[in-house]
Amino acid sequence: MIKLQNVKKYFKNNKVLKGVDLEINKGELVVLIGPSGCGKTTTLKMLNKLIKPTSGKILINGEDIGKKDTIDLRRNIGYVIQQTGLFPHMTVGDNIGLIPFLKKWTEDKIKTRTFELLELVGMNPEEYIDRYPNELSGGQQQRIGVARAFATNPEIILMDEPFSALDPITRNQLQDELFNLQQKLKKTIVFVTHDMDEALKLGDRICIMKDGVILQYDTPEELLKNPAHGFVEEFIGKNRIWNQPEFIKAEDIVIENPVKTIGNRTILQATEIMQQRHVDSILIVDRDNKLDGIATLKDIRKNRDKKVTLNDIMEKDVVSVNKDDSIVDVLKVMNEKQVGYIPVVDNSQKLIGLITRSSLISVLSEQFLEEEEVAV
Ligand SMILES: Nc1ncnc2c1ncn2[C@@H]1O[C@H](COP(=O)(O)OP(=O)(O)OP(=O)(O)O)[C@@H](O)[C@H]1O
Ligand SMILES: [Mg+2]
């Protein structure tokens, strides 16, 4: 959809972008984040030709935008900036309807669309359409800015720190609204921010920039788990992943090689294995390593005949979690089902390992120990 190929931008001797390669897919929300002056706004402005690259190419839908008509290009790209860029002497309705008007839509069509957009951003059209920007709160102005960017239903929307001037509560609210809007409309959005929380919340992918280069371009989950660079780790905040526990998956904390065997073993053999490994339960799998059941020493001791096999006595209704379930899901299941351990399986029910209450505690406490060391 959008492709930057070795894009450089120099302002006289100031090398602001030093060869940026970036690809953004259709329907994706990509966040550009990085310290002040790293070139975020410059990158964004090049996408609608407010700034020309010194060298390199920018393609939109495979077309070199350098060769496209600027006005046409801009009318198909919505742009939201921090200070909303609303025209103060125009009403809310006229602000939103400006581009449709320039595109020569009929008055009726503009009015219908304006009403629709105001509703979309959670503002009562009857109440607000005739107000002027200075009669709105900061959050409301920002909503109008967003509505205006969506007015002509452009494929691409550029947003340069659209929420940064807002108080935290309003900002959160607008983030949620943008997120919901995006789930519905699936635009291609390039969103600039300073705020890592905002980036993690909104971005399908996040592009971390510094001094005119891209340090890492990845999904929020990958960034948190595998920061490719010391600066990235620092910028994200060490141990940030613990603020985002839904990104920690069962497979990240699983104990591999749990004590397991196949079902046609006798309970005598199973007891032997358990004693050797100092455990009081054993997982039972089939020849393909698919989880069949579980047996505890207590279950086994109820049987006098030691030739009985695990197949005869095992508990078949085992509570398990998928390797992709998050640590939050795992804790929930453990609490709901009142179990102290839980097998982890993959999508075809094959056993990957085990999570126990104590393995969870040790993962969690390692985390806190590490943090204390940092604090010292
Ligand atoms: N028109 C211009 N002429 C000269 N230098 C410029 C111009 N526009 C931007 N710059 C410089 O380019 C660098 C990158 O600016 P840019 O606005 O892209 O940064 P940014 O990442 O958006 O920063 P911020 O987070 O503060 O908005 C800065 O050093 C800035 O001073
Ligand atoms: Mg900027």
Side-chain angles (χ1 to χ4, degrees):
M1 176 88 207
I2 302 177
K3 206 174 194 175
L4 280 74
Q5 291 175 334
N6 195 20
V7 169
K8 295 182 184 163
K9 179 67 196 177
Y10 301 165
F11 289 110
K12 296 202 179 108
N13 292 330
N14 186 5
K15 298 185 175 175
V16 171
L17 293 178
K18 301 170 187 163
V20 166
D21 289 292
L22 183 66
E23 221 174 315
I24 297 169
N25 300 323
K26 192 172 163 59
E28 200 173 29
L29 193 157
V30 165
V31 176
L32 305 182
I33 190 168
S36 191
C38 70
K40 305 180 293 293
T41 299
T42 305
T43 306
L44 209 62
K45 282 183 172 168
M46 287 194 304
L47 296 179
N48 67 357
K49 289 176 67 172
L50 283 167
I51 296 178
K52 269 207 179 86
T54 306
S55 68
K57 240 193 218 172
I58 300 175
L59 308 173
I60 293 183
N61 289 327
E63 270 186 277
D64 183 347
I65 65 167
K67 296 189 181 128
K68 274 198 78 163
D69 179 64
T70 306
I71 304 296
D72 271 352
L73 177 80
R74 281 193 202 150
R75 286 190 190 159
N76 289 311
I77 298 180
Y79 193 30
V80 190
I81 54 172
Q82 183 178 334
Q83 286 81 20
T84 74
L86 297 179
F87 295 108
H89 56 280
M90 283 165 69
T91 63
V92 163
D94 290 342
N95 263 292
I96 296 176
L98 182 63
I99 307 277
F101 174 75
L102 292 175
K103 282 192 146 185
K104 301 202 166 64
W105 290 18
T106 64
E107 213 172 298
D108 271 359
K109 194 173 164 196
I110 296 178
K111 186 153 185 204
T112 312
R113 181 67 178 150
T114 309
F115 265 62
E116 198 176 272
L117 285 162
L118 281 168
E119 269 161 11
L120 203 63
V121 295
M123 289 175 68
N124 178 3
E126 306 282 352
E127 191 178 343
Y128 291 103
I129 195 160
D130 290 324
R131 290 219 199 162
Y132 287 88
N134 67 359
E135 298 164 342
L136 303 175
S137 72
Q140 289 167 339
Q141 291 182 28
Q142 216 51 59
R143 285 192 165 89
I144 303 302
V146 172
R148 186 176 61 176
F150 281 86
T152 56
N153 208 13
E155 279 192 287
I156 297 173
I157 297 187
L158 310 176
M159 305 181 91
D160 197 349
E161 307 205 32
F163 307 145
S164 62
L166 305 174
D167 66 274
I169 295 172
T170 314
R171 191 190 312 161
N172 248 312
Q173 212 175 357
L174 281 182
Q175 287 165 354
D176 289 343
E177 280 170 21
L178 176 64
F179 184 84
N180 294 334
L181 213 59
Q182 173 64 353
Q183 297 310 304
K184 258 190 281 179
L185 303 178
K186 283 284 166 207
K187 298 287 174 193
T188 306
I189 302 182
V190 190
F191 188 106
V192 169
T193 183
H194 269 107
D195 177 356
M196 201 57 183
D197 287 315
E198 186 164 83
L200 292 168
K201 187 164 160 186
L202 294 175
D204 295 311
R205 284 196 284 172
I206 299 174
C207 174
I208 301 193
M209 299 176 66
K210 184 174 186 258
D211 300 332
V213 298
I214 293 175
L215 295 182
Q216 189 168 4
Y217 182 36
D218 249 324
T219 60
E221 186 175 339
E222 261 319 294
L223 277 180
L224 289 171
K225 279 190 184 161
N226 302 309
H229 196 281
F231 174 80
V232 174
E233 197 173 355
E234 215 174 288
F235 194 71
I236 294 173
K238 231 178 176 209
N239 297 323
R240 176 65 166 251
I241 192 157
W242 295 93
N243 296 337
Q244 242 78 30
E246 60 278 12
F247 287 151
I248 306 171
K249 304 287 190 225
E251 68 179 339
D252 298 327
I253 53 172
V254 72
I255 306 169
E256 282 161 6
N257 305 318
V259 182
K260 63 177 181 184
T261 185
I262 44 177
N264 57 11
R265 295 261 190 170
T266 64
I267 56 175
L268 182 70
Q269 291 170 321
T271 312
E272 200 56 38
I273 298 172
M274 283 193 262
Q275 277 168 354
Q276 261 176 20
R277 301 275 303 262
H278 305 287
V279 293
D280 60 3
S281 61
I282 192 160
L283 293 168
I284 297 127
V285 291
D286 70 8
R287 299 264 169 210
D288 292 326
N289 199 32
K290 283 191 187 155
L291 184 63
D292 271 345
I294 192 165
T296 63
L297 267 181
K298 218 159 96 194
D299 299 335
I300 287 175
R301 288 197 176 123
K302 288 183 200 145
N303 295 279
R304 303 254 152 174
D305 179 359
K306 299 298 179 214
K307 286 200 287 296
V308 169
T309 67
L310 290 170
N311 278 331
D312 303 322
I313 63 141
M314 72 180 165
E315 171 63 54
K316 289 204 169 95
D317 196 11
V318 199
V319 183
S320 64
V321 292
N322 186 278
K323 68 181 173 51
D324 293 324
D325 288 341
S326 77
I327 196 167
V328 182
D329 304 323
V330 175
L331 280 167
K332 210 152 83 193
V333 176
M334 275 187 166
N335 277 330
E336 266 167 21
K337 307 281 180 185
Q338 286 295 310
V339 289
Y341 47 79
I342 205 157
V344 180
V345 295
D346 69 10
N347 294 333
S348 49
Q349 283 300 109
K350 287 189 184 167
L351 181 67
I352 290 182
L354 190 70
I355 293 175
T356 66
R357 223 177 260 282
S358 56
S359 76
L360 260 178
I361 289 170
S362 77
V363 171
L364 289 167
S365 58
E366 251 169 51
Q367 149 64 16
F368 292 118
L369 283 178
E370 231 176 79
E371 251 185 11
E372 265 172 38
E373 280 167 13
V374 173
V376 165

